[in-house]
């Protein structure tokens, strides 16, 4: 029997079977320990907005006999990341909205209503706080601690930034920060506790601000900033993007998100509200920059550096070939060229398969003459492969600013609504110098995409400056392999795809054992996840986690401290 198998990712990982409450266990809505209606009513008196009762994204299409008129809007907006981010029950990848019960039946709400005819809650949280202020979050956190609730934090990092299911849990209580939209620009920002003469041209973003909103805001002051890039700009700017590392096409020039965060405000499981930076609670500031999201507390705001808006160069490339050996040669040379590109200031995105290689690289504050000079060797190399059946073309364009480029290329478009699973790998300078042929073959076989978002400035920063995986400081490019599936795909077919992905993960791990992966764009099946996601920083991050989360409220799959819990993350082991 064919079913939607978004749930299968959880089943296979052993994450989807709820535990019974008991000593050291968290309470979920199917248990007698769950708060009563009167207790939730008491919480309602402590928050500024009505409590939210999240529903799966497709819920408006049920009952199937008489779906509401809103079903049309669901169908039209299904792939729109900003539409999805406006609802507390919608996940970017809908597979994380579904759940398999112990008896093998599926609890889900599918866009294709003919599959089951019913809409189930799945893994979508059942009730929570629509946070608009610090006090709202504190009330939600205190309530969760009081009743020992399974808590999830949804900051709505829509885009490509949560593929481990960290924003959903069956029968859970949610703190939803999407509506915390305050943006404050300061040309002379002084961190708390810092000397008065230590100033930054900075912007402070509330916990629910998304990157399209942040870019719009700083552009009004003639500034740019390092941030996430996706169609529609729906990625959250102050949540998991930063906590996972936060990369950008501008990173080779300006560094990663963690390198540009100046100050962070956070609420702990004790309810305490802290403003952390290099001068106060510096250990927590260190951990929050790359140590994983929803792990140490709930971030209410982040202050980032901004930079003067400068002209931008774009270099576009596409090659086609039916000669697989020539394509492997081309991809291998591109990998080998990554240090030169990133050190020159180029960053960007591309994809490949056995017949096509394409990418778009951008570089801020570079003249057209320099852009041509720094790409000419690659252009010439690609042209030299014409006798082997490789046809290629390039384009060089100039934009007044990064913002103009972003608005034109990424200002609109879709970035969600697809069942997805993939694995990533951060390729080091050593790897692209010595393993480029073998890695090229592996990437072509999985039709990989790649993000040139490291190297350059990223490699120049002390690996100990933030909790970020030190592998980033040697990396020059991130590569991604994965798969998607249609609703109705059988569990057998999905299992075959997962087995194939596992094989690819092992191949890349064996080729690049020291290179790590990007926490926000990875798989539940990464090998040795502590080392792969956090490297040598894991033990320090865990001690900081234990210090600032004494109630052990914040736990996410394969996050720091999750190794102290059972597979379902409901009971401490």
């Amino acid at each position: 029997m064919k079913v939607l198998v978004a749930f299968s990712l959880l089943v296979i990982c052993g994450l989807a079977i709820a535990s019974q409450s008991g000593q050291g266990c968290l309470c979920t809505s199917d248990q007698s320990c769950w708060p009563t209606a009167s207790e939730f009513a008491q919480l309602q008196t402590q928050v500024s907005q009505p409590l939210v009762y999240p529903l799966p994204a497709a819920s408006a299409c049920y009952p199937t006999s008489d779906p509401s008129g809103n079903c049309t809007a669901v169908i039209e907006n299904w792939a729109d990341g900003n539409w999805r981010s406006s609802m507390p029950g919608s996940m970017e990848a809908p597979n994380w909205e579904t759940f398999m019960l112990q008896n093998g039946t599926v609890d889900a709400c599918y866009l294709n209503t003919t599959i089951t005819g019913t809409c189930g809650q799945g893994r979508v949280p059942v009730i929570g706080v629509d946070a608009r202020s610090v006090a709202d979050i504190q009330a939600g956190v205190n309530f969760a601690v009081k009743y020992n609730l399974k808590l999830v934090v949804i900051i709505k990092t829509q885009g490509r930034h949560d593929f481990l299911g960290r924003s959903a849990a069956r029968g859970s209580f949610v703190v939803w920060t999407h509506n915390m939209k305050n943006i404050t620009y300061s040309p002379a920002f002084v961190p708390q506790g810092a000397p008065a003469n230590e100033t930054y041209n900075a912007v402070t973003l509330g916990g629910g601000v998304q990157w399209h909103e942040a870019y719009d805001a700083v552009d009004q002051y003639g500034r740019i900033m390092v941030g996430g890039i996706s169609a529609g700009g729906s990625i959250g700017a102050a949540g998991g993007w930063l906590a996972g590392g936060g990369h950008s096409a501008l990173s080779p020039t300006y560094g990663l998100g963690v390198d540009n965060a100046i100050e962070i405000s956070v609420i702990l499981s004790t309810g305490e509200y802290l403003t952390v930076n290099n001068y106060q609670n510096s250990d927590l500031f260190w951990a929050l920059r790359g140590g994983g999201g929803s792990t140490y507390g709930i971030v209410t705001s982040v202050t980032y550096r901004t930079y003067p808006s400068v002209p931008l160069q774009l270099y576009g490339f596409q090659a086609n070939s039916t000669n697989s050996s020539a394509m492997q040669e081309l991809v291998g040379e591109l990998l080998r060229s990554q240090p030169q590109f990133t050190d020159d200031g180029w960053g960007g995105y591309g994809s490949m398969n056995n017949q096509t290689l394409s990418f778009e690289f951008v570089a801020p504050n570079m003249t057209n003459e320099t852009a041509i000079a720094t790409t000419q060797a690659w252009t010439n190399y690609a042209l030299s492969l014409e006798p082997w059946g490789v046809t290629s073309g390039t384009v060089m364009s100039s934009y007044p600013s990064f913002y103009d480029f972003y608005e034109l290329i990424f200002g609109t478009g879709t970035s969600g609504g697809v069942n997805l699973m993939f694995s990533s790998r951060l390729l080091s300078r050593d790897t692209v110098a010595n393993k480029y042929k073998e890695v090229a073959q592996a990437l072509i076989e999985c039709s990989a995409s790649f993000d040139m978002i490291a190297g350059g400035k990223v490699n120049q920063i002390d690996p100990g400056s933030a909790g970020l995986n030190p592998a980033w400081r040697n990396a020059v490019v991130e590569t991604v392999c994965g798969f998607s599936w249609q609703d109705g795909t059988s569990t057998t077919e999905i299992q075959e795809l997962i087995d194939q992905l596992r094989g690819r993960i092992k191949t890349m791990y064996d080729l690049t054992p020291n290179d790590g992966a990007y926490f926000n764009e990875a798989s539940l099946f990464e090998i040795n996840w502590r080392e792969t996601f956090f490297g040598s920083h894991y033990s320090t991050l865990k001690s900081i986690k234990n210090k600032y989360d004494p109630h052990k409220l914040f736990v996410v799959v394969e996050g720091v401290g999750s190794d102290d819990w059972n597979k379902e993350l409901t009971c401490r082991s």
Side-chain angles (χ1 to χ4, degrees):
M1 169 179 162
K2 292 220 172 200
V3 295
L4 270 181
V5 292
F7 63 86
S8 67
L9 305 182
L10 301 179
V11 177
I12 294 164
C13 295
L15 295 171
I17 302 173
S19 298
Q20 297 300 310
S21 63
Q23 188 65 34
C25 294
L26 299 174
C27 184
T28 53
S29 63
D30 59 334
Q31 298 170 343
S32 60
C33 55
W34 192 250
T36 64
S38 62
E39 288 165 337
F40 277 114
Q42 179 61 31
L43 172 63
Q44 180 64 83
T45 67
Q46 301 170 18
V47 295
S48 66
Q49 304 295 315
L51 296 179
V52 291
Y53 297 84
L55 294 172
S59 60
C61 296
Y62 295 79
T64 57
S65 59
D66 183 27
S68 72
N70 289 334
C71 184
T72 300
V74 171
I75 295 170
E76 291 177 349
N77 293 292
W78 188 253
D80 186 332
N82 282 299
W83 175 78
R84 286 183 165 272
S85 71
S86 69
M87 301 176 292
S90 172
M91 304 299 140
E92 183 217 346
N95 42 295
W96 296 115
E97 296 179 23
T98 64
F99 185 88
M100 177 179 252
L101 302 172
Q102 286 183 328
N103 63 9
T105 60
V106 185
D107 189 46
C109 189
Y110 305 136
L111 181 61
N112 181 353
T113 60
T114 65
I115 293 178
T116 61
T118 60
C119 177
Q121 191 73 9
R123 298 184 75 241
V124 174
V126 297
I127 190 172
V129 172
D130 176 5
R132 308 293 178 98
S133 66
V134 167
D136 285 344
I137 296 179
Q138 288 173 319
V141 165
N142 291 337
F143 188 82
V145 169
K146 179 178 180 179
Y147 294 100
N148 201 29
L149 303 182
K150 176 64 178 175
L151 174 72
V152 297
V153 182
I154 303 181
I155 303 176
K156 280 303 176 193
T157 54
Q158 295 294 344
R160 299 175 57 202
H161 287 77
D162 183 12
F163 297 95
L164 300 178
R166 295 167 293 178
S167 296
R170 184 167 176 81
S172 61
F173 176 79
V174 63
V175 173
W176 187 43
T177 65
H178 173 73
N179 291 306
M180 297 182 70
K181 297 289 191 180
N182 290 339
I183 299 177
T184 304
Y185 172 73
S186 174
F189 178 84
V190 179
Q192 289 188 20
N197 63 350
E198 183 179 325
T199 63
Y200 301 88
N201 194 304
V203 63
T204 301
L205 308 178
V209 173
Q210 293 163 283
W211 279 116
H212 73 92
E213 297 165 328
Y215 294 145
D216 289 346
V218 298
D219 180 67
Q220 297 177 28
Y221 299 95
R223 309 293 292 185
I224 60 172
M225 60 189 301
V226 175
I229 297 178
S230 68
S234 58
I235 299 171
W241 179 85
L242 174 66
H247 67 60
S248 167
L250 299 180
S251 291
T253 299
Y254 300 115
L256 296 165
V258 301
D259 304 320
N260 287 279
I262 302 167
E263 189 166 272
I264 302 172
S265 296
V266 59
I267 294 172
L268 308 181
S269 62
T270 59
E272 187 177 4
Y273 174 63
L274 297 180
T275 298
V276 303
N277 53 43
N278 282 324
Y279 297 92
Q280 50 192 40
N281 302 111
S282 58
D283 54 347
L284 181 57
F285 181 59
W286 183 87
L288 288 170
R289 292 177 295 133
S294 299
T295 299
Y296 310 92
I298 300 179
V299 170
T300 63
S301 70
V302 178
T303 301
Y304 291 102
R305 303 170 191 259
T306 70
Y307 298 91
S309 184
V310 293
L312 187 86
Q313 295 292 331
L314 179 145
Y315 175 63
F317 174 88
Q318 180 163 330
N320 299 282
S321 178
T322 56
N323 183 333
S324 59
S325 297
M327 183 56 67
Q328 185 176 334
E329 179 79 16
L330 185 68
V331 171
E333 185 63 22
L334 178 63
L335 293 175
R336 201 165 70 92
S337 301
Q338 292 300 295
Q340 177 254 306
F341 276 127
T342 57
D343 289 349
D344 285 338
W346 291 101
Y349 311 97
S351 61
M352 66 188 73
N353 56 41
N354 60 4
Q355 294 186 330
T356 303
L357 170 67
S358 64
F359 60 75
E360 287 188 341
F361 293 164
V362 295
N365 205 26
M366 182 183 287
T367 65
N368 182 257
E369 291 75 17
T370 301
I372 293 172
T374 54
T375 57
Q376 194 65 56
W378 168 258
T379 300
N380 292 341
Y381 171 78
L383 291 173
S384 75
L385 295 181
E386 283 189 359
W388 287 269
V390 176
T391 59
S392 61
T394 64
V395 61
M396 191 73 73
S397 302
S398 299
Y399 294 86
S401 70
F402 164 78
Y403 184 76
D404 290 289
F405 158 77
Y406 176 84
E407 280 290 286
L408 180 64
I409 306 300
F410 295 99
T412 59
T414 59
S415 60
V418 178
N419 301 316
L420 283 174
M421 186 175 189
F422 52 68
S423 170
S424 71
R425 204 70 185 162
L426 299 172
L427 303 185
S428 67
R429 288 175 177 261
D430 179 70
T431 292
V432 299
N434 300 302
K435 296 286 187 69
Y436 60 92
K437 290 183 179 179
E438 299 93 332
V439 171
Q441 180 179 355
L443 295 178
I444 289 172
E445 287 176 355
C446 75
S447 297
S449 61
F450 65 95
D451 301 334
M452 200 166 73
I453 38 67
K457 181 70 172 180
V458 176
N459 293 165
Q460 299 167 18
I461 297 173
D462 180 4
S465 64
L468 181 77
N469 186 346
W472 273 102
R473 301 310 180 185
N474 295 316
V476 290
V477 63
E478 177 203 16
T479 60
V480 176
C481 294
F483 67 91
S484 62
W485 65 95
Q486 296 294 321
D487 295 346
T489 304
S490 71
T491 54
T492 300
E493 290 173 293
I494 288 293
Q495 181 62 62
E496 290 173 354
L497 290 169
I498 289 176
D499 289 344
Q500 187 178 70
L501 183 62
R502 281 181 178 274
R504 287 170 174 163
I505 290 172
K506 186 177 187 308
T507 296
M508 288 297 289
Y509 182 85
D510 290 344
L511 284 171
T512 64
N514 301 315
D515 285 1
Y518 179 31
F519 188 50
N520 288 339
E521 296 171 350
S523 165
L524 290 167
F525 307 128
E526 303 293 347
I527 297 170
N528 190 9
W529 63 265
R530 297 171 190 81
E531 179 71 22
T532 293
F533 292 146
F534 306 104
S536 59
H537 288 164
Y538 187 79
S539 60
T540 304
L541 289 167
K542 190 169 182 179
S543 67
I544 296 170
K545 155 79 171 173
N546 291 336
K547 174 182 176 181
Y548 287 97
D549 183 17
H551 295 296
K552 301 187 184 301
L553 179 65
F554 304 108
V555 57
V556 294
V557 61
E558 297 188 356
V560 172
S562 63
D563 43 354
D564 293 335
W565 293 74
N566 62 0
K567 290 182 178 181
E568 297 81 26
L569 301 183
T570 53
C571 296
R572 290 191 286 275
S573 57

